[in-house]
Amino acid sequence: MTPLLTKRPLLRAAACVLLALAAPLSQAQTWPNRPIRLVVPFPPGGLIDNMGRLVAARLAQELGQPVVVDNKPGVGGNLGAADVARAPADGYTLLMASPALTISPAVYKKLPYASAQLAPVALLGRVPNVLLVNPNSGMTSVQDVVARAKAAPGKMNYASNGNGTSLHLSAELFKRQTGAFITHVPYRGSAAAITAVLSGEVDVMFDNLPSAIGQIRAGRLRALAVTTPQRSVALPDVPTLAEAGLAGFNVSAWFGVAASAGLPPEVLARLAPALERVAKQPEVVAGMERQGAEPMYLDATAAAAAMASDAAQWKQVAAFAKIQLD
């Protein structure tokens, strides 16, 4: 009897250890078993928010749990990114990712999170930026812009939706590749910047295509080029900057889903295929295209490589333009 009594506490202890070890695996295998929060690091109504809501509704259907959009705007998308970076790596807190993840490390002195704390799950689409002028400006090509800027260095100006944004850095990359000296005039948001171009207050700007396409189609803005390697389906007659002589110019406002680094493999194995199916649904593709976005699915490995390339480019541009934000 004594040996058996001695073994019983050991058996109970071993059982507790096995249960403790099995708990995380069981949770991963049953993921998701509660609602998922999709953090959008920008205000409602913008491109990333619209894409987030489009994806969230379909992802909820795929996973059988609600996917709740949570807008956390501030500091160029950094507050929302920090929220997700600090969250447990369990798949219940996701980030609607954007170029801010690759731009912010290049332009901010200090971030509220470390880039290594976040990892992409997939990229789902991209939006070209577009080079715009007022139709009454007399400029009808990229070459016209460059020629006018070089004829009077510093006299031309360009608008952006704020310091350290994709639009700001697109223009600085343009300056870097052309050698043109054009003065930056930042505005609070794309709408204010577009108004400045429409009124003739500024000469030129880059904008995300969805924000500008209505004005382009109405003839109130002239599109000179898009920033992606291929022409936009929404503007098939507008050349790329590479076609206009700026070899290798490649900028897009991509969007996708990221999470805290270190997601359990079992969670990633469920989440990634669900996102791929969502990205290829005809309704999602149509919804993206209505807003001037181009569907583009990249898995975690390809997404990480694309983001690393972006980050390297923006680091060079930020150094060239001496951009450093607090």
Side-chain angles (χ1 to χ4, degrees):
M1 293 291 293
T2 303
L4 183 59
L5 290 172
T6 303
K7 288 179 181 178
R8 282 177 179 168
L10 295 175
L11 290 171
R12 283 197 296 270
C16 289
V17 170
L18 289 172
L19 286 171
L21 291 173
L25 179 60
S26 174
Q27 290 170 4
Q29 287 174 334
T30 58
W31 181 91
N33 54 26
R34 56 187 170 88
I36 296 164
R37 186 166 64 106
L38 178 63
V39 175
V40 174
F42 297 100
L47 170 70
I48 303 302
D49 178 67
N50 291 341
M51 293 298 101
R53 292 177 189 279
L54 179 65
V55 168
R58 298 292 175 171
L59 186 60
Q61 294 174 359
E62 289 286 338
L63 297 176
Q65 288 289 343
V67 178
V68 181
V69 173
D70 185 6
N71 294 92
K72 292 276 185 179
V75 197
N78 292 334
L79 294 186
D83 184 0
V84 177
R86 290 191 293 263
D90 57 10
Y92 288 103
T93 304
L94 304 174
L95 176 69
M96 198 64 191
S98 74
L101 291 181
T102 57
I103 291 173
S104 291
V107 301
Y108 282 92
K109 292 179 182 177
K110 187 177 180 181
L111 291 176
Y113 67 95
S115 296
Q117 289 179 277
L118 292 168
V121 179
L123 297 189
L124 306 176
R126 67 180 182 183
V127 173
N129 291 340
V130 58
L131 178 60
L132 301 168
V133 295
N134 189 304
N136 298 321
S137 66
M139 294 181 285
T140 60
S141 68
V142 173
Q143 290 78 10
D144 287 345
V145 175
V146 175
R148 186 174 296 187
K150 288 187 174 181
K155 296 295 179 68
M156 281 185 69
N157 49 30
Y158 75 89
S160 82
N161 59 340
N163 287 308
T165 63
S166 170
L167 307 184
H168 176 197
L169 270 70
S170 291
E172 292 299 329
L173 178 59
F174 179 84
K175 289 166 59 176
R176 181 171 179 257
Q177 287 199 220
T178 61
F181 177 21
I182 310 174
T183 303
H184 180 211
V185 183
Y187 290 83
R188 291 193 175 186
S190 179
I194 284 179
T195 299
V197 177
L198 291 171
S199 68
E201 185 176 320
V202 296
D203 300 294
V204 64
M205 75 172 288
F206 283 87
D207 196 14
N208 297 143
L209 180 55
S211 302
I213 196 163
Q215 301 282 13
I216 295 168
R217 287 174 173 165
R220 290 187 286 269
L221 288 173
R222 176 178 291 150
L224 301 183
V226 295
T227 60
T228 41
Q230 295 83 32
R231 294 191 181 198
S232 169
V233 174
L235 295 175
D237 295 330
V238 176
T240 68
L241 278 164
E243 288 175 319
L246 278 67
F249 200 107
N250 183 6
V251 175
S252 61
W254 47 262
F255 51 89
V257 173
S260 301
L263 277 186
E266 297 83 1
V267 172
L268 191 58
R270 181 105 196 268
L271 176 59
L275 284 169
E276 184 172 8
R277 291 192 296 271
V278 166
K280 295 177 180 179
Q281 288 179 8
E283 297 86 351
V284 173
V285 170
M288 290 184 188
E289 289 177 344
R290 277 195 299 271
Q291 300 192 55
E294 300 172 5
M296 174 196 68
Y297 180 81
L298 297 181
D299 65 15
T301 301
M307 289 171 63
S309 177
D310 264 16
Q313 173 172 263
W314 296 137
K315 185 177 180 180
Q316 292 176 353
V317 173
F320 160 80
K322 297 181 173 57
I323 302 170
Q324 193 168 63
L325 306 177
D326 293 325

